[in-house]
Amino acid sequence: MWWGGRGQSFNIAPQKEEPEMGSVQESRMPEPRSRQPSSCLASRCLPGEQILAWAPGVRKGLEPELSGTLICTNFRVTFQPCGWQQNQDTPLSSEYDFALVNIGRLEAVSGLSRVQLLRPGSLLKFIPEEIMIHGRDFRLLRVGFEAGGLEPQAFQVTMAIVQARAQSNPAQQYSGITLSKAGQASGSRKPPVPLMETAEDWETERKQQAARGWRVSTVNERFDVATSLPRYFWVPNRILDSEVRRAFGHFHQGRGPRLSWHHPGGSDLLRCGGFYTASDPNKEDIRAVESMLQAGHSDVVLVDTMDELPSLADVQLAHLRLRALCLPDSSVAEDKWLSALEGTRWLDYIRACLRKASDISVLVTSRVRSVILQERGDRDLNGLLSSLVQLLSAPEARTLFGFQSLVQREWVAAGHPFLTRLGGTGASEEAPVFLLFLDCVWQLLQQFPADFEFSEFFLLALHDSVRVPDTLTFLRNTPWERGKQSGQLNSYTQVYTPGYSQPPAGDSFNLQLSVWDWDLRYSNAQILQFQNPGYDPEHCPDSWLPRPQPSFMVPGPPSSVWLFSRGALTPLNQLCPWRDSPSLLAVSSRWLPRPAISSETLADQEWGLPSHWGACPLPPGLLLPGYLGPQIRFWRRCYLRGRPEVQMGLSAPTISGLQDELSHLQELLRKWTPRISPEVHSKKRDPHTILNPTEIVGILKGRAEGDLG
């Protein structure tokens, strides 16, 4: 939505001569005094940013139209309304800023029918009366140019945008706001969210999760195990770093099993890459791998992350179709628009992700076990599912701070290739998996509006921040690349001892700001909109915080190994693919549940089978979203921002639009109202009260019927 840059001033010097039109480098016109940029125009520039061209214009498409100045720099294109004065609380922010890497389509318009699509390196064939900038984040900026002798400036700024796009490279465009540029003292600043770049960050998070059976490993401190892994991660206490190094060598890209999240009830959620079956591990290595996967549990569930979920190519194709459908000039007829939306498959993929995440949440919360997410590369769908599972199972992850920490740990520090997946390298592996995740989170926010501390506006800000060139958070593929760019890497080796070691000093400490430094790009009023006014803190009870709790989980069968696939658990004779004989006992088929048709039926099977284990309660704080039919919605505020009638709100100012808005507000009110009878409401239920299976099924069915209603 809004972003910008603080630091150096724009330096715009009027030219004394009028060169020939057509050369951006030489086509600057003398500036009429009435058209000279104000001093505030020069106050929002990133370090190293330079103006290439500017022209007076009028923002069109919205009411009222705004007069201002269209500016092209070597980083971005921005429109500054006339009379704009920099707010001291807003060093960097503008809803009219488009990073060059975020421009998906540029069109020049002359008259009623003359339109030219301008690709990087194109030559403009006429003086434009208007240009249309389509953002890859679904935003649209329409700027009309004024007549009266200023036509050459319109030509100049348009060609400047064309050439700047041709020369832009996301991998090289990063300018990085350092602490000194931000006017803050480097010695006293603490990141708003732990960046998970030091062993101390990981140890603090481990203690918060009460993961007593785990420790912080420093085996990858020099990135010599895997450059895509963070420097530090969690491994079982009894596993030595020498064993970790050998075991990780038998997984794809060296991404062996690590802890993602420890459930307060005792279960552990792990993630890892695919087995490197061509390797030839010895018995000690196999034993180490099995111990890391078991994580001290007798019940182990291996989840094939890629099963039933879209491939990277599927995600990319669906997103391209979605963008094409949401363009203002889409050729799809209004009566066929919803069918075309279903045809993109985007909503289907959201549905599949939420269902699988719900199933895994049931597996994690129903029994004390080790649940392992396994994806060949361990850098895309593993992060998506791990994050969703924690959002569904852990109320603290639904707070604003908790969610930011979750994204930093499971996406940024875990090595999700943001630059490649968002098309920054020009490779064929583009696929906006992270944007798919944000849409899944938005769906949860719609279904459970009182359970999340952050709002839709925060998700939009995060959605729009993935392509801004002012931080390294989303502009690199691995922690190693970020450390190298920021000068964080050096030759020292830090041995972490809890309670004694301190963060590395000097230039080994990351002085670059992250995307979570919202106050540098957003005003205080905008940041306030990140808060969800309907959030109920009671949905995140203190009793949920990691501490000794009554046991509401039941142990799994002794020495059992399961494969979770297509909604059902099937027994495995062995955990690792390198053994011919079973390494762990296979569970008897009489314990095998039937395939589940939904997360509710899986929950019924898990919490009610077998009967001699006794009744198990519905864990406090667990959310099981609906994902059938109309329960999955279209994120209009994000995807239809290029439509004038929705840029100012969710619906057009028509009777039908107001009816839709009223229905939406009534549904939110219904969801915020407790769905329990007055008799039950008068009795305060203990969150740890043991429920019987009949009560659990009744709660689940009531929730499902309420969502469908």
Side-chain angles (χ1 to χ4, degrees), residues 24-44:
V24 175
Q25 302 290 338
E26 302 175 354
S27 60
R28 298 193 177 183
M29 298 291 297
E31 301 176 21
R33 292 187 180 273
S34 62
R35 296 296 185 183
Q36 287 187 4
S38 62
S39 59
C40 60
L41 181 150
S43 60
R44 299 193 322 164

Side-chain angles (χ1 to χ4, degrees), residues 159 162 279 287 448 523 543 579:
M159 282 303 303
V162 172
S279 64
R287 188 178 299 111
F448 307 99
S523 68
S543 60
R579 284 193 172 186

Side-chain angles (χ1 to χ4, degrees), residues 239 243 247 281-294 576 579:
I239 303 297
E243 296 175 302
N282 55 36
K283 293 182 179 179
E284 289 74 15
D285 291 349
I286 294 178
R287 188 178 299 111
V289 170
E290 290 180 342
S291 296
M292 297 179 71
L293 293 173
Q294 284 182 266
C576 298
R579 284 193 172 186

